[in-house]
Amino acid sequence: MVSVAEPGCRRAWQDRFAAVRAHSRWLTQPLSPEDHQLQSMPDASPAKWHLAHTTWFFETLVLRPHAPGYGVFDPAYAYLFNSYYEALGPRHPRPQRGMLSRPTLDEVWAYRAHVDEAIARFVRDADDDTWARVSPTLELGLQHEQQHQELILTDILHAFSLNPVVPVYRSAAEWAAGAGDTDALVSANRPDAPWLRLDGGLTSIGHEAPGFAFDNEQPRHTVWLRPFELAACPVTVREHLAFIDDGGYRDPRWWLSDGWACVQSQGWTAPAYWQAPDTPGGCWQAFGLHGLQPLNLDASASHLSFYEADAHARWAGARLPTEFEWEAAIGAHPQRIGHVWEWTASPYTAYPGFIPTPGAAAEYNGKFMVNQIVLRGGSRFTPRGHARPTYRNFFPPATRWQCAGLRLARDAS
């Protein structure tokens, strides 16, 4: 992990800390206390739990071991809000987080205020040696909270999608004012050249530049790439509707065996949250944070599983890029990324020479390097400034509740 919180930058870091923590409040502002409690499936978590867990991270990894005299807000929170850190003790079962009606939402906000004040004192008062030692963990905590900010949105979207009254999280205008990304902006900025060509050869992959990176983005290393082409933009809604209209969800030719089993067992006929017209000639709609809206045909198709992305690519006479092809192409041809996470063909594994972050944070990434697929890019739910071309997101291949799509690749002729 590389830290941007070097000695002498304390005020700048404290300002960033305050901004990130304030953004979590902005994201949850439209939610009622009842909304904060919702857990719609085991993979999701209540918004209240996200707010508490990101606070627990700072309390447990920074304040308790490094801030002399720090008073723990509530000893029970160590059990309630640990996520998956075995080294830090037992924890409440993940599928039962929605059962935690206590502590109340007001108590969680008081917890956040307590920890925020303690972090401000620590940043102000820590000696230079302590600051140099702890600042990487502080920075990791900020990046960790930004990851959970995206999860707050994807989790509440899934929960709202199950509500027959079709709740609206925020209007499109409110969202654009606060978060800045809309389908219209993406549709208006599609490049003219449809494919990006790379000649391949020895290519450097991974993070090496100054600034933060997670341990799974390192070390930078060399891979061999054959000549290939990468689509200049992700697949659009219009293009995926053509796959649907051509019987793509009914034709096993395009699907991996596990993917076809999901289609049959789960009844997939379109991406998550998409709704077919009720009458001939009607328009497709999709449920999103702004409620039920007509699909924007020129926006990037989203809420696809890896299996759907792979099937679409095969149907289109192409394939998914490896994560190395994706990174090399985006680095050579800077493109606007960040509307959808983009599935790659790469399993989530360690880079050669991978070294986990020291201490309890060693569990952050490495132990999940099995049965997951790498996604690249970032989505319209990703906080501004959080993603970068070397960022490696990862999810199981059947995941559809994340804002994920695809970009086509093909071997160069």
Side-chain angles (χ1 to χ4, degrees):
M1 176 176 59
V2 179
S3 173
V4 297
E6 300 297 341
C9 298
R10 300 192 192 201
R11 171 51 56 189
W13 188 90
Q14 180 61 42
D15 290 345
R16 287 184 55 243
F17 176 80
V20 169
R21 300 285 278 179
H23 188 59
S24 295
R25 180 175 283 275
W26 183 85
L27 288 174
T28 55
Q29 192 175 36
L31 304 180
S32 69
E34 294 82 1
D35 293 335
H36 278 82
Q37 191 65 37
L38 292 172
Q39 183 179 21
S40 55
M41 61 176 173
D43 284 342
S45 296
K48 184 177 75 173
W49 187 90
H50 286 297
L51 293 171
H53 166 69
T54 51
T55 304
W56 166 90
F57 189 95
F58 285 108
E59 181 177 65
T60 304
L61 274 71
V62 176
L63 296 173
R64 291 181 64 180
H66 302 293
Y70 170 73
V72 171
F73 184 81
D74 188 325
Y77 289 10
Y79 176 82
L80 295 178
F81 301 123
N82 183 359
S83 54
Y84 51 70
Y85 294 89
E86 301 286 350
L88 296 176
R91 59 206 171 278
H92 187 75
R94 180 178 181 177
Q96 298 176 21
R97 290 171 182 169
M99 303 302 293
L100 297 176
S101 60
R102 305 296 174 90
T104 66
L105 181 59
D106 286 343
E107 289 170 328
V108 167
W109 282 116
Y111 179 39
R112 286 176 68 88
H114 175 85
V115 168
D116 287 356
E117 291 169 4
I119 287 290
R121 289 194 299 271
F122 175 81
V123 172
R124 182 193 66 207
D125 298 339
D127 61 57
D128 288 345
D129 288 344
T130 300
W131 174 253
R133 186 172 66 256
V134 178
S135 61
T137 306
L138 284 166
E139 183 61 31
L140 179 62
L142 277 190
Q143 301 290 330
H144 169 255
E145 179 140 352
Q146 288 184 310
Q147 289 181 314
H148 279 269
Q149 288 170 347
E150 182 158 5
L151 290 172
I152 286 171
L153 295 174
T154 58
D155 290 359
I156 200 63
L157 175 60
H158 187 268
F160 279 5
S161 75
L162 304 177
N163 190 326
V165 305
V166 194
V168 173
Y169 161 76
R170 262 195 169 103
S171 70
E174 281 185 293
W175 176 258
D181 203 355
T182 68
D183 286 349
L185 289 174
V186 173
S187 301
N189 288 281
R190 306 189 75 82
D192 295 330
W195 293 90
L196 312 172
R197 179 186 170 91
L198 268 80
D199 292 331
L202 289 174
T203 306
S204 293
I205 296 296
H207 183 90
E208 193 175 49
F212 176 86
F214 289 109
D215 55 7
N216 66 356
E217 301 172 56
Q218 302 170 76
R220 193 163 176 84
H221 61 288
T222 301
V223 300
W224 176 264
L225 300 178
R226 293 168 56 88
F228 71 96
E229 294 179 327
L230 184 73
C233 288
V235 164
T236 65
V237 168
R238 187 189 310 275
E239 291 164 337
H240 197 67
L241 282 175
F243 171 73
I244 294 172
D245 291 342
D246 196 42
Y249 282 84
R250 302 188 303 273
D251 192 337
R253 287 183 298 164
W254 312 123
W255 296 82
L256 294 169
S257 177
D258 284 350
W260 184 243
C262 286
V263 171
Q264 294 179 302
S265 65
Q266 300 184 34
W268 292 352
T269 58
Y273 311 136
W274 290 28
Q275 296 186 14
D278 292 330
T279 58
C283 69
W284 278 79
Q285 295 180 295
F287 182 76
L289 294 178
H290 318 314
L292 192 62
Q293 301 283 333
L295 279 172
N296 179 346
L297 298 179
D298 295 320
S300 301
S302 63
H303 298 291
L304 281 72
S305 66
F306 165 79
Y307 295 133
E308 291 164 286
D310 182 78
H312 181 113
R314 293 169 190 265
W315 168 82
R319 58 177 174 82
L320 296 179
T322 68
E323 63 168 317
F324 309 126
E325 290 174 327
W326 190 98
E327 184 176 323
I330 296 301
H333 301 277
Q335 298 290 314
R336 188 181 191 281
I337 59 175
H339 190 231
V340 291
W341 287 102
E342 300 172 23
W343 288 106
T344 72
S346 297
Y348 179 50
T349 59
Y351 285 169
F354 168 72
I355 300 175
T357 299
E363 297 185 57
Y364 200 101
N365 284 309
K367 71 180 187 179
F368 300 110
M369 291 176 174
V370 64
N371 298 331
Q372 316 240 29
I373 305 295
V374 173
L375 301 92
R376 292 298 194 105
S379 84
R380 58 186 178 273
F381 297 165
T382 308
R384 292 175 182 171
H386 179 66
R388 59 199 155 269
T390 59
Y391 196 115
R392 305 174 76 204
N393 202 355
F394 54 93
F395 279 97
T399 300
R400 307 174 89 213
W401 53 285
Q402 291 299 302
C403 188
L406 73 147
R407 192 184 296 242
L408 299 177
R410 63 190 183 191
D411 297 338
S413 56

